[in-house]
Amino acid sequence: MAPLSLQIIFSATIFLLLLTISQSNATLGANYYDQTCPQAEDIIYQAVRNASSYDPKVPARLLRMFFHDCFIRGCDASVLLDSTPGNKAEKDGPPNVSLRAFYVIDDAKTKLEKSCPRTVSCADIVAIAARDVVAMSGGPHWNVLKGRKDGRISRANETINLPAPSFNTSQLIQSFAKRGLGMKDLVALSGGHTLGFSHCSSFEARLHNFSAVHDTDPSLNAVFAESLKKNCPKPNRDSNAGQFLDPTSLVFDNNYYKQIVAGKGVFASDQSLLNDYRTGWIVKAFANDQASFFWEFAASMIKLGNVGVQEDGEVRLNCRAVN
């Protein structure tokens, strides 16, 4: 646990960040539902906790859902919309087919509609759920700014704009910059992989026929590379085969960064962060100081949650369909 002085500094700084963002965008506020639906966060928390107790994969999936929602069209719950005969939606785009856990958001929404109808947006549910899974897994807690509205457009072909696990650091920096996020945000938010699991398809290019010179990516720890090859043989006939991105995959901690420093980053994008002078020092700092990582992660999640916020959208009655 962080020393009391560090906790005080953390709380005070997050408060100032909340205040700054609230002033810059009047649609969001930490107390947005205090009068209209004061029980909103408790209802969402219970839905998330119940689902997580039955399925340990839920926290990673809900956290990833928030990232994938905010990176496409901003944090507007477009990732929740179902495809229709005339439109293939984001959730059916290649990077999102493994998201799942949409039922958790549905459960929370159903209960919220009974308690305070037409009040809490699906976009806010996703943002609050992401915070809750981090806190429940041992990570930091922060006040989620609320008041987002739900978008009406969702297109699968736009998911090509999500940062890929094969990206190098320059590509990652460019992708995050388009969302108003800096290099420290990039490294901190990548730490969400501490709860992650990946199927072989996202990293097997590093294991076989990597280049004309190297069969395996030389930035990979050799022993770790061999264990990955056992999990992901070529050809691979097990579609569920893969690797946890962090050995303590159910706990939100800084082991993800320690893995990268040891040459055990599963994704090429993760390992590239260490080998680039612009981000390598941040990776090492977070590997050495979990409290610093927690602080930066919470601050970056608040910034990410402010990306592309809808001011003229709607509050969906069903998160899977526009009103």
Side-chain angles (χ1 to χ4, degrees):
M1 191 169 191
L4 182 60
S5 59
L6 182 59
Q7 289 179 322
I8 293 172
I9 293 171
F10 176 90
S11 299
T13 310
I14 290 295
F15 172 77
L16 290 174
L17 181 59
L18 285 166
L19 185 63
T20 300
I21 294 177
S22 296
Q23 290 173 340
S24 66
N25 190 334
T27 62
L28 298 186
N31 304 315
Y32 188 84
Y33 296 115
D34 281 6
Q35 301 302 317
T36 56
C37 193
Q39 65 274 44
E41 293 203 41
D42 288 337
I43 291 172
I44 296 167
Y45 174 79
Q46 291 299 332
V48 171
R49 188 183 70 169
N50 291 341
S52 299
S53 66
Y54 285 103
D55 183 357
K57 296 178 182 177
V58 163
R61 287 170 173 169
L62 289 178
L63 182 56
R64 185 164 168 248
M65 186 185 296
F66 177 68
F67 290 155
H68 285 213
D69 181 40
C70 293
F71 261 74
I72 305 297
R73 293 187 170 272
C75 309
D76 67 345
S78 55
V79 74
L80 303 180
L81 289 171
D82 284 343
S83 294
T84 64
N87 179 67
K88 187 176 180 181
E90 285 175 37
K91 65 167 56 172
D92 292 320
N96 287 338
V97 292
S98 61
L99 272 185
R100 303 187 180 94
F102 294 107
Y103 70 92
V104 184
I105 306 299
D106 292 336
D107 181 41
K109 181 61 174 174
T110 298
K111 291 179 170 66
L112 286 165
E113 285 302 309
K114 290 180 180 178
S115 182
C116 27
R118 303 173 182 268
T119 303
V120 182
S121 69
C122 300
D124 278 347
I125 297 174
V126 173
I128 293 168
R131 186 274 314 278
D132 286 348
V133 297
V134 169
M136 284 191 304
S137 302
H141 183 282
W142 61 93
N143 286 326
V144 175
L145 296 175
K146 297 169 283 288
R148 298 167 187 81
K149 294 297 186 290
D150 300 322
R152 300 176 60 85
I153 299 172
S154 182
R155 299 187 179 117
N157 61 4
E158 293 183 353
T159 60
I160 194 173
N161 295 315
L162 288 167
S166 59
F167 272 14
N168 60 39
T169 300
S170 292
Q171 291 171 307
L172 290 172
I173 289 173
Q174 184 179 29
S175 177
F176 276 66
K178 289 179 180 177
R179 281 85 182 175
L181 301 167
M183 283 182 282
K184 191 170 284 188
D185 299 311
L186 159 62
V187 181
L189 292 173
S190 295
H193 286 164
T194 183
L195 298 179
F197 174 87
S198 173
H199 292 102
C200 296
S201 58
S202 294
F203 60 86
E204 61 189 358
R206 305 181 71 197
L207 307 178
H208 311 283
N209 302 317
F210 178 72
S211 71
V213 180
H214 301 282
D215 183 56
T216 304
D217 185 346
S219 69
L220 265 174
N221 174 284
V223 175
F224 185 60
E226 289 305 312
S227 71
L228 291 179
K229 285 184 177 181
K230 290 180 181 178
N231 289 346
C232 303
K234 188 177 182 180
N236 178 23
R237 295 182 174 84
D238 183 1
S239 61
N240 293 316
Q243 175 71 30
F244 288 106
L245 306 183
D246 179 332
T248 53
S249 61
L250 299 181
V251 180
F252 194 94
D253 55 25
N254 68 334
N255 272 343
Y256 158 82
Y257 299 102
K258 294 177 181 179
Q259 289 288 103
I260 294 176
V261 171
K264 298 179 181 180
V266 177
F267 292 154
S269 57
D270 289 338
Q271 196 62 52
S272 76
L273 295 174
L274 177 69
N275 301 324
D276 191 292
Y277 74 94
R278 294 167 293 182
T279 52
W281 67 275
I282 309 174
V283 171
K284 293 174 184 176
F286 290 166
N288 292 326
D289 188 348
Q290 181 167 278
S292 174
F293 162 50
F294 279 12
W295 186 95
E296 295 292 352
F297 183 83
S300 294
M301 284 290 280
I302 293 170
K303 288 177 66 176
L304 176 59
N306 205 49
V307 171
V309 169
Q310 289 273 353
E311 296 185 56
D312 57 354
E314 62 187 18
V315 174
R316 286 185 217 141
L317 305 181
N318 173 359
C319 290
R320 294 174 176 266
V322 299
N323 292 342

